[in-house]
Amino acid sequence: MARKVLVLLGTKKGAFIAESDAARREWSLRGPFCEAWPMNHVIGDAASGTIYAGGGNAWFGPAVWQSTDLGASWTHSSEGLAYPVGAEPVTSVWSLARGAGGFYAGVEPAGLFRSADGGGSWRHVAGLQEHPSRPDWHPGAGGLILHSLIPHPRDDKQIWVGISAAGVFHTADGGTSWTARNRGTRADFLPEEQRYPEYGQCVHCLVMAPGMPDRLYQQNHCGMYRSDDGGVRWESIEAGLPSSFGFPAAVHPRDPATVYLVPLNGAEAGRYVPEGRAAVWRTRDAGASWQALRDGLPQENAFFGVLRQALATDDLAPAGVYFGTGTGELYASADEGESWNCIARHLPTIASVETLVMD
């Protein structure tokens, strides 16, 4: 049976799906779905074919949508996506992940919820907000959001989360207790003597290397980092990049040493690709060196940014790489980043890009 490749997009005006075959030369686009709600993260489950979309805002409220027919129809639920009475209300869902321990949602204001019924209902994982650092969590420019959510692929008790701006936290007991894992990451916005705090860093994106659960990569407001011990210690790997600032990161589906980034020109300099020349940067040696991949990308007057969840890979060989821009373009590479094509234009701001490969 021919393989089908879906690129799942969360945008400020609903979810979209770009579709191709395994050759990835011609693409069709469908959407918007989810009644044009703001969608922060759209993911797929290859085993069942179900697509999930998390989003909302203060006006709509939070919800997780799902489609069991590849986008032809959708339902949604917000049951249980709420903090106790008197607490600041949940306004939106920012991240989704399926793991051995269940289905998880990260929300704004930053917190974690678990579903035992595939997203039909949710229960607050209260241990994270009970961490002693919680009174000191402060919103980044995008709000106080739990945007990175990584369950361990085999151990249902372990989860890593990234919160802007609080840092990386890890649980080894299914969410009852949490530890901050930020040693070695900077907070340049603090006074010099306080730039390596236990928590309070503005992590932008957190991803796990394939086949190596203890290897994590982190794009931070203040640098790019790798950890080989599950986040206990972080090592800077930003040397060779044009900027220490950016939002997204994506790992190769099979090679734990290959990572993709889209650096921006800086937090105070406009937050667009450096010099208006688009490039995806790739390392094949776990951050020891970096290469700019530009073939097919605009090399003048490109003043777009790429948000923290808007870069992804597929699991084909060679791997496909995809990113969406704040100005609504979707770029794709079918050869691991060596060459690029724009496969969609004029979309709403693209908040997330994920892939789903179906047989």
Side-chain angles (χ1 to χ4, degrees):
M1 184 181 295
R3 304 192 84 183
K4 180 182 298 185
V5 182
L6 306 182
V7 181
L8 311 176
L9 307 177
T11 83
K12 298 302 182 184
K13 298 181 181 180
F16 291 79
I17 300 174
E19 184 174 325
S20 185
D21 59 18
R24 296 161 292 181
R25 295 190 185 95
E26 302 292 333
W27 293 86
S28 61
L29 183 71
R30 295 183 284 128
F33 301 117
C34 307
E35 299 176 8
W37 276 39
M39 287 291 112
N40 295 317
H41 198 200
V42 184
I43 67 171
D45 178 10
S48 67
T50 301
I51 299 172
Y52 301 92
N57 59 22
W59 177 260
F60 290 99
V64 175
W65 296 68
Q66 62 177 279
S67 173
T68 58
D69 50 19
L70 300 183
S73 62
W74 295 79
T75 60
H76 69 88
S77 174
S78 59
E79 182 182 341
L81 283 172
Y83 293 136
V85 174
E88 186 177 357
V90 175
T91 58
S92 62
V93 174
W94 267 90
S95 55
L96 298 170
R98 296 188 67 88
F103 188 24
Y104 296 92
V107 304
E108 178 185 9
L112 182 64
F113 287 78
R114 178 189 287 117
S115 175
D117 57 8
S121 61
W122 299 87
R123 181 178 62 83
H124 183 210
V125 182
L128 179 59
Q129 288 209 330
E130 292 169 355
H131 190 272
S133 67
R134 177 61 183 90
D136 298 320
W137 296 1
H138 299 291
L144 182 59
I145 55 177
L146 195 161
H147 52 70
S148 294
L149 177 50
I150 305 178
H152 192 285
R154 296 183 298 275
D155 183 350
D156 63 0
K157 299 298 184 183
Q158 290 198 65
I159 310 167
W160 291 261
V161 300
I163 298 172
S164 179
V168 174
F169 294 83
H170 170 261
T171 180
D173 57 16
T176 301
S177 62
W178 295 78
T179 57
R181 292 203 167 177
N182 301 294
R183 184 184 301 175
T185 56
R186 303 189 310 274
D188 290 341
F189 41 82
L190 295 178
E192 186 171 355
E193 66 276 9
Q194 301 175 25
R195 286 188 179 172
Y196 288 89
E198 179 184 356
Y199 54 83
Q201 290 86 341
C202 190
V203 55
H204 281 178
C205 184
L206 184 70
V207 292
M208 177 181 284
M212 294 181 64
D214 285 335
R215 173 170 287 181
L216 304 173
Y217 295 95
Q218 177 188 160
Q219 174 67 72
N220 194 286
H221 188 102
C222 306
M224 181 65 194
Y225 302 90
R226 188 190 75 237
S227 173
D228 291 322
D229 55 11
V232 175
R233 303 174 195 82
W234 294 92
E235 174 187 352
S236 173
I237 55 171
E238 65 199 62
L241 292 169
S243 167
S244 62
F245 181 88
F247 284 97
V251 292
H252 190 279
R254 292 171 293 278
D255 182 1
T258 296
V259 184
Y260 297 89
L261 305 178
V262 184
L264 303 182
N265 65 342
E268 311 298 332
R271 301 189 177 199
Y272 52 79
V273 291
E275 302 177 340
R277 301 175 60 228
V280 174
W281 289 72
R282 180 182 64 197
T283 179
R284 292 193 183 278
D285 50 20
S289 62
W290 295 91
Q291 174 189 11
L293 308 172
R294 301 183 184 273
D295 185 13
L297 297 177
Q299 294 303 293
E300 60 181 4
N301 299 323
F303 299 106
F304 58 70
V306 179
L307 297 177
R308 68 181 83 244
Q309 292 169 289
L311 173 66
T313 60
D314 67 32
D315 62 4
L316 298 181
V321 190
Y322 310 85
F323 72 90
T325 73
T327 48
E329 296 88 22
L330 176 62
Y331 289 92
S333 170
D335 54 12
E336 307 206 348
E338 296 295 332
S339 62
W340 297 86
N341 290 292
C342 185
I343 63 172
R345 300 180 189 273
H346 312 306
L347 296 176
T349 297
I350 298 173
S352 75
V353 177
E354 298 285 359
T355 63
L356 177 62
V357 177
M358 303 287 296
D359 291 321

